[in-house]
Amino acid sequence: MKHPQNTSRRHFLKAAGTAAAVAGVATYVPRHVLGAEGTPSANEKINLGVIGYGNRCKYVMGGTLPHADVRCIAVADVWSKHREDGKAMVDKHYRNTDCETLVDFRELLQRKDIDAVLIATGDRWHAAASILAAKAGKDVYSEKPCGITIEDCQQLADTITAEQKVFQAGTQRRSVPNFIKAVELAHSGKLGELQTLHASVYRPVLDNSWLPAQTQPSPQELDWNLWLGPAAWRPFNLAYVQGKWRGQWDFDSGARLLDWGAHTLDLCQWANQADATMPVEYQPHKDGISCRYENGVKLEIDFLADPFGDRSPHYITRLGTCPVRFIGTDGWVETGDNGEIVCSSPALQKEITEDTSRVRGLDVASHSRNFLDCIRTRKLTAANQNVMRKSHIACHAAAVAWIFDRKLTIDPQKEVFLNDADANGLIARPDRIWNV
């Protein structure tokens, strides 16, 4: 078998964009970008296509399909099992058999009746698929992490802006009430002057071991070349497709630091009103990574030995997964996925009023609602491309510091490491030519 050769990410995206244009993808302008008169009316449904169906996609769709103004009409996935499972979910919801299934998502992008896409593949495909979708005239909801490298995040944000698309990163905690309230406390000054932010993450891993080769199925059953996409080639093993890609350097983002960091560090960015910047220093140590913003605020990225169990002593375990803590000169606030908010004093606790609804942090209904509303208004979403860019790149910078086990300094606007060629060497990575 001839393995596709490596190429740069820029070459890949240029080639893929050219192929899409030849296929007629990039020439289509959907109705909602034609101006106010072309925007879907309040009574028109937004037609949604799905790229990549699995457990996470099922969860997101569970919070999206009930919205009355959206209709999912197609599911694309390289694995026949996932295609059929996705179709079954959609057809059951609408009580018909209308949902189309496709192997190659580029065929889905050619459909002129699709306004937006939900991208829920593995990490390796998020940026490339989102970029192709935007160039095809689609608005994009992409699961996180949205880019497997710093360059991914840069190119994705640049493309969304240039194509004037609506983009929502799947960092849904920006739309969950208890996290919103905790951030409001930080912004209000009721914590005093903000001093230290705490973001919980798994302990990073760095693994690129290969599973044993298995007989490769037919492309119609499981298109292995398309599953790999821009990721480095390796022999087929079904376990990768079933989830064993996680933790693999070739397939995962930032040594797994972004699994939680894309949420928790993002919330710290928001609390520090730092969506247009990021920490400038990253100092790894045995229990985490200590970071510093230009305004002097500290960010502690805490490695949790048991992230799904006992999260003490860093955090209050009962508050749930993905906890964050914001500390000011006059007090602190902590919250997590169980929806409860704990403050450092009775006076601050009184700020948590009864009308602060308690919703699990995993809920995506409000986040997808925000995306659909912004498709109509053309406004920026809660987790738009600019928000994603800085918080994701900060996560990647922290991961690179951990990989090299040394302090790194980054220019938050140029998004390059200062005086460190090795670290800058990990801003991008070569990709396969997969579409040959």
Side-chain angles (χ1 to χ4, degrees):
M1 173 180 180
K2 181 180 179 181
H3 303 160
Q5 66 189 52
N6 285 339
T7 186
S8 71
R9 182 172 300 277
R10 291 186 180 87
H11 183 189
F12 156 67
L13 291 172
K14 181 178 179 182
T18 301
V22 170
V25 174
T27 60
Y28 163 60
V29 180
R31 53 197 166 114
H32 61 254
V33 299
L34 297 176
E37 295 182 357
T39 302
S41 70
N43 295 323
E44 274 188 301
K45 291 187 183 295
I46 295 168
N47 288 332
L48 181 72
V50 171
I51 299 172
Y53 183 87
N55 289 335
R56 183 59 193 169
C57 184
K58 181 178 180 180
Y59 199 94
V60 175
M61 289 174 68
T64 303
L65 294 181
H67 295 307
D69 60 341
V70 66
R71 190 169 193 85
C72 181
I73 61 176
V75 174
D77 196 286
V78 299
W79 191 13
S80 59
K81 179 182 184 303
H82 278 180
R83 288 196 300 276
E84 295 310 313
D85 287 349
K87 175 179 171 58
M89 180 181 186
V90 174
D91 287 348
K92 180 179 179 180
H93 178 80
Y94 296 123
R95 299 180 182 180
N96 59 36
T97 59
D98 294 346
C99 181
E100 182 184 4
T101 59
L102 306 109
V103 177
D104 192 329
F105 73 90
R106 290 171 296 177
E107 296 179 24
L108 181 149
L109 296 181
Q110 292 181 49
R111 286 190 56 163
K112 295 184 178 181
D113 56 345
I114 290 180
D115 301 300
V117 293
L118 162 61
I119 297 173
T121 60
D123 295 7
R124 69 203 174 279
W125 258 120
H126 287 164
S130 295
I131 288 171
L132 290 177
K135 288 181 178 292
K138 317 301 182 188
D139 293 320
V140 178
Y141 183 116
S142 172
E143 262 308 304
K144 60 84 198 169
C146 300
I148 205 168
T149 65
I150 288 174
E151 186 184 60
D152 262 349
C153 301
Q154 294 167 331
Q155 292 188 345
L156 172 54
D158 287 345
T159 301
I160 293 294
T161 299
E163 298 294 331
Q164 299 182 19
K165 299 297 115 193
V166 171
F167 178 83
Q168 182 82 296
T171 46
Q172 76 278 355
R173 286 164 182 82
R174 286 226 174 194
S175 299
V176 174
N178 59 297
F179 292 106
I180 294 172
K181 184 62 177 180
V183 168
E184 286 178 355
L185 283 179
H187 289 179
S188 70
K190 292 175 181 176
L191 301 180
E193 185 178 350
L194 209 56
Q195 291 185 320
T196 307
L197 312 164
H198 284 268
S200 59
V201 299
Y202 309 158
R203 184 169 292 277
V205 296
L206 197 58
D207 184 16
N208 217 23
S209 57
W210 286 14
L211 296 176
Q214 295 178 343
T215 301
Q216 193 167 311
S218 69
Q220 195 61 31
E221 179 184 349
L222 199 162
D223 191 325
W224 179 238
N225 178 62
L226 195 54
W227 186 93
L228 287 171
W233 182 89
R234 65 174 64 187
F236 169 78
N237 188 297
L238 184 60
Y240 292 130
V241 185
Q242 294 172 324
K244 289 292 185 181
W245 61 267
R246 294 190 176 277
Q248 291 286 311
W249 174 253
D250 284 343
F251 303 144
D252 213 330
S253 296
R256 289 209 77 179
L257 190 145
L258 278 81
D259 273 18
W260 274 19
H263 292 292
T264 58
L265 192 152
D266 176 67
L267 291 165
C268 291
Q269 286 268 109
W270 191 17
N272 194 30
Q273 302 184 65
D275 283 341
T277 185
M278 67 184 78
V280 294
E281 293 178 355
Y282 303 81
Q283 175 67 67
H285 52 84
K286 67 182 182 67
D287 295 320
I289 303 166
S290 297
C291 312
R292 182 184 63 82
Y293 287 91
E294 286 180 306
N295 67 357
V297 173
K298 297 177 182 178
L299 167 66
E300 293 291 342
I301 302 174
D302 301 312
F303 299 161
L304 299 186
D306 189 7
F308 293 95
D310 183 2
R311 287 172 287 275
S312 64
H314 290 299
Y315 302 94
I316 302 169
T317 295
R318 76 172 190 270
L319 296 184
T321 50
C322 279
V324 291
R325 179 179 286 211
F326 311 142
I327 303 173
T329 53
D330 297 338
W332 55 261
V333 60
E334 181 177 334
T335 192
D337 281 342
N338 284 352
E340 183 184 356
I341 303 172
V342 174
C343 298
S344 56
S345 69
L348 278 173
Q349 199 67 46
K350 288 181 180 179
E351 298 291 331
I352 313 304
T353 56
E354 293 182 3
D355 61 356
T356 301
S357 57
R358 187 164 171 170
V359 178
R360 281 181 57 82
L362 301 178
D363 181 72
V364 296
S366 295
H367 207 52
S368 59
R369 179 69 264 159
N370 175 247
F371 175 57
L372 297 173
D373 289 343
C374 289
I375 287 176
R376 298 184 186 281
T377 65
R378 312 313 293 169
K379 293 180 179 179
L380 290 171
T381 62
N384 60 72
Q385 69 271 22
N386 305 314
V387 165
M388 175 280 299
R389 179 179 190 141
K390 295 301 185 182
S391 63
H392 273 46
I393 291 177
C395 287
H396 279 296
V400 173
W402 176 81
I403 290 168
F404 287 114
D405 193 24
R406 62 174 178 257
K407 181 179 179 179
L408 295 179
T409 303
I410 197 169
D411 183 318
Q413 300 309 317
K414 294 181 180 179
E415 299 167 347
V416 295
F417 296 102
L418 303 182
N419 304 314
D420 200 312
D422 291 336
N424 283 323
L426 291 186
I427 285 177
R429 64 174 71 174
D431 286 314
R432 285 189 325 130
I433 298 176
W434 56 272
N435 56 340
V436 293

